[in-house]
DNA sequence: GTCTATACACCGATAGAC
DNA sequence: GTCTATCGGTGTATAGAC
């Protein structure tokens, strides 16, 4: 049907423009910092005026929100692709997951700030864009359970431990490896606590 | 000498006004959030106009900077007063320090954000106001050494561990104790790793 | 020295013309 | 869908009153 095709075309075009805007926002975040994004700056990068962005996003926070969803979706995709590579041995599995998450978080500061820190004043992710974050944690939980680690407290301790190392690395030795070097040791510490062989 | 007295009076008055401004800023931070401080809001609380604040602080960041110094000085003072209460036993000592820091960090969100997170866009503490932070860490290091823990990596792991729990608590269960309950266990984990009895 | 009034450049957001 | 014009807000520079 012609009407249907037209509508699809328009929807595609619209989605493409939204992606273009988000790409511009990421680019500006990486250049100037996550919090330094401005609508005028983003608009300029896509060849628009600032108010035109409101055709595609209801507010600046809505742009952050969409970026939040993108980032966690990216993380989820990576974890799903790594799913079959998780070692059989529980201790090795913990190390593998921890290293994967650590590297992902450390490799992109603005992305990590948006995903895991509350660095944008007043921003809270919507339920819709929070979903891939939940899915990622669920996936981690599933892998943990598969390796016999079932207590929520154990997963909580794991996330706090890895998160603490990531934040320390970013805050106190950006670009270095002072805390990255401690990751395996930290995980072994936890594995011992869990009674893993 | 009269000139000296006058100068002292003026200096005292000036310092008092500065403290008044900082108190107003803390009050506004606790009401509206750390990042939501505005110069006009702070000025109104002390009965001034916004530009008048520039008589006492060179910029908004300079106010954040002074607050940063206050917060860490507060932390240092508390740790110094606790110094003689640190248990002899190394494991108990670790628990004690960890709990002290955890409680201090969790009891005041805006203060913790300013001290430990980089939540204010573009803000970096000056060397002068960073000093009490260094002194606090030095004090912690000294206590660690007194208990036979001398490696920098051990202290790094300790700070990352406690920091990770604090951040998780603030971000995922504010006002609760989901990660607070894991603190002793986490410290025991580390103590075991260090070969402590 | 302290404070004020004024002004400026920038921000996110809205209204309405095309 | 994109534009121009504009609004209320911000931090801050400056000139001048007391």
């Amino acid at each position: 049907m012609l009407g249907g095709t037209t509508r699809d075309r328009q929807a595609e075009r619209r989605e493409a423009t939204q992606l273009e805007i988000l790409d511009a926002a990421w680019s500006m975040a990486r250049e100037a910092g996550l919090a330094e994004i401005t609508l005028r700056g983003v608009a300029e990068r896509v060849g628009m005026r600032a108010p035109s962005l409101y055709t595609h996003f209801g507010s600046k926070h809505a742009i952050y929100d969409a970026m939040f969803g993108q980032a966690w979706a990216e993380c989820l995709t990576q974890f799903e692709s790594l799913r079959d590579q998780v070692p059989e041995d529980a201790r090795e599995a913990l190390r593998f997951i921890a290293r994967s998450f650590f590297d992902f978080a450390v490799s992109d500061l603005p992305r990590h700030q948006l995903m895991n820190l509350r660095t944008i004043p007043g921003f809270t992710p919507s339920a819709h864009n929070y979903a891939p974050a939940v899915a990622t944690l669920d996936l981690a939980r599933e892998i943990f359970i598969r390796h016999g680690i079932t207590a929520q407290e154990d997963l909580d301790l794991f996330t706090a431990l890895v998160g603490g190392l990531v934040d320390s690395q970013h805050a106190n030795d950006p670009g270095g490896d002072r805390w990255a070097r401690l990751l395996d040791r930290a995980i072994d510490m936890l594995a011992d606590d869990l009674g893993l062989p």
Side-chain angles (χ1 to χ4, degrees), chain A residues 50-71:
Chain A
S52 305
L53 297 177
Y54 283 84
T55 306
H56 303 278
F57 294 96
S59 69
K60 188 186 184 184
H61 276 19
I63 296 182
Y64 279 125
D65 195 39
M67 294 167 75
F68 180 93
Q70 278 188 318

Side-chain angles (χ1 to χ4, degrees), chain A residues 12-26:
Chain A
E12 265 178 42
R13 184 89 182 81
R14 189 173 165 75
E15 199 172 337
T17 306
Q18 285 180 359
L19 282 180
E20 216 178 321
I21 291 171
L22 294 178
D23 284 349
W26 281 116

Side-chain angles (χ1 to χ4, degrees), chain A residues 45 121 137 150:
Chain A
R45 282 163 199 262
L137 249 181
T150 56

Side-chain angles (χ1 to χ4, degrees), chain A residues 143-166:
Chain A
I143 298 177
F144 268 58
I145 291 176
R146 207 199 304 162
H147 286 86
I149 305 166
T150 56
Q152 179 61 41
E153 294 186 344
D154 298 341
L155 184 53
D156 285 348
L157 190 50
F158 175 83
T159 57
L161 187 55
V162 178
L165 289 165
V166 169

Side-chain angles (χ1 to χ4, degrees), chain A residues 73-93:
Chain A
E74 207 177 329
C75 185
L76 178 59
T77 300
Q78 186 195 292
F79 267 66
E80 277 169 345
S81 79
L82 259 45
R83 190 184 206 155
D84 297 331
Q85 304 175 35
V86 177
E88 287 285 326
D89 179 68
R91 182 180 294 257
E92 297 275 349

